[in-house]
Amino acid sequence: MTINLNSSHSAVNTGYSAIPAGKATASETVIEENQSPLLPNIQPRQGSDDIPGDVLIQQALTRKQPQSILCAEDLDYRAPLVAFLAGPEVIKKEAIKWGAIIGTGAGAVLGGISVAMLALIQKHSIDFLKGLGFIALGAGAGALFGTLFGWLSGNEAARNQAWVNKNVFEMMDLTGPTATLGQGNKALKAETGDSFSQRLARNESRRRDEQTQQMILENQIMTMTN
C-alpha cells in the first residue's frame, strides 16, 4: 500500500493518546521481534465520526513534536505509527522562535546588569537614555545569538524528524497509518531485513559521533584563537 495524503484510509479513533514510553523491557522486545505486538484499544470517540487515516497524518505533520518518545531504548511498540510523526519545518520554526525569545530576555538582563555595574564603578547614576541604549543593545545581541542558536538546534531536530517521518511512512506503506509501531517494525524487517528500531539505534549512534566530532573541532578552534 502506498501512503497518499489525498486518498482515504481506514478510520480510527482520534482520542488515542500515546502511552507514555518507559524503558523497553525484555518482554516488549520479544513482542516486537516475534509474532503478536500489543494492540492499542481503538474505540470510536463517543459522539464523533471516525477520522480517515490521511486526516490523522495531516494533523500529525502540524505538530511541534511527536506524541511518542523517539529513543531506541524507550520505544513504545503499542503506539500507532502516526504518533511518531511531526512537522520538521514546524519544529525548526518553534526552535528559532524560542531561541529568539530567550536570547532577547537574557540579553536585556545582561544589558541591565552592565548599566548597574557601570553606575557603581562611576559612583553616579547613568543617564536614562544611555542606560536604555545599553539594555536595547544587549537585547538585540541576545536576540541575534538566540536566533542563531535556535536555527542550529532546530535545523538538527528537523533533520532528525524528517528521517523519522521517512521511515514511518515506509512502515505505513507496508501496513497502514493506524498500525502499531510493533506491527510496522515487524513488517519492515520482513520486507527489508532491517527494522526501524535497529535503524533508529544506528541513527542515534551516528548523531552522537557527529556531535562529538563537532565539539572536538570547536575546542581546536578555540585553542588556536587563544
Side-chain angles (χ1 to χ4, degrees):
M1 181 192 72
T2 301
I3 297 299
N4 183 347
L5 297 184
N6 296 318
S7 63
S8 296
H9 287 291
S10 58
V12 295
N13 172 32
T14 56
Y16 174 87
S17 60
I19 301 169
K23 190 176 181 66
T25 63
S27 60
E28 287 174 331
T29 303
V30 170
I31 287 171
E32 180 267 315
E33 292 294 343
N34 292 313
Q35 293 297 320
S36 302
L38 295 176
L39 298 177
N41 182 19
I42 298 176
Q43 296 281 342
R45 188 187 285 179
Q46 202 170 29
S48 66
D49 296 327
D50 289 344
I51 306 299
D54 283 344
V55 175
L56 292 180
I57 293 172
Q58 291 171 342
Q59 291 173 347
L61 293 177
T62 64
R63 287 199 294 248
K64 300 171 184 177
Q65 61 182 17
Q67 291 178 339
S68 284
I69 294 174
L70 290 173
C71 177
E73 293 184 354
D74 297 320
L75 286 174
D76 182 1
Y77 293 102
R78 297 167 294 182
L81 291 173
V82 291
F84 297 89
L85 294 175
E89 288 303 315
V90 178
I91 290 173
K92 184 189 293 186
K93 289 178 182 177
E94 189 72 4
I96 292 173
K97 181 185 80 172
W98 282 107
I101 291 172
I102 295 172
T104 301
V109 170
L110 289 175
I113 292 173
S114 299
V115 171
M117 290 181 64
L118 190 60
L120 185 63
I121 292 171
Q122 295 182 355
K123 296 183 179 179
H124 62 78
S125 60
I126 301 294
D127 180 73
F128 175 76
L129 291 178
K130 189 176 180 180
L132 192 62
F134 270 105
I135 294 174
L137 183 63
L144 181 62
F145 283 108
T147 300
L148 178 61
F149 178 80
W151 183 84
L152 291 173
S153 61
N155 192 55
E156 172 60 21
R159 184 165 68 105
N160 185 60
Q161 185 62 52
W163 180 90
V164 171
N165 288 357
K166 176 179 178 294
N167 283 271
V168 170
F169 280 125
E170 189 174 352
M171 287 187 285
M172 286 181 177
D173 282 340
L174 297 171
T175 54
T178 60
T180 64
L181 175 61
Q183 292 170 326
N185 206 35
K186 178 182 172 185
L188 184 64
K189 190 167 185 177
E191 180 74 14
T192 67
D194 195 15
S195 68
F196 173 68
S197 53
Q198 292 170 331
R199 292 181 181 182
L200 184 60
R202 291 198 303 271
N203 186 55
E204 289 174 353
S205 178
R206 177 189 57 77
R207 292 179 66 202
R208 284 193 297 267
D209 289 343
E210 288 179 353
Q211 290 170 355
T212 300
Q213 291 173 0
Q214 184 177 355
M215 290 176 62
I216 292 172
L217 181 60
E218 289 173 354
N219 288 334
Q220 289 175 343
I221 293 173
M222 289 179 64
T223 303
M224 290 172 63
T225 54
N226 290 336

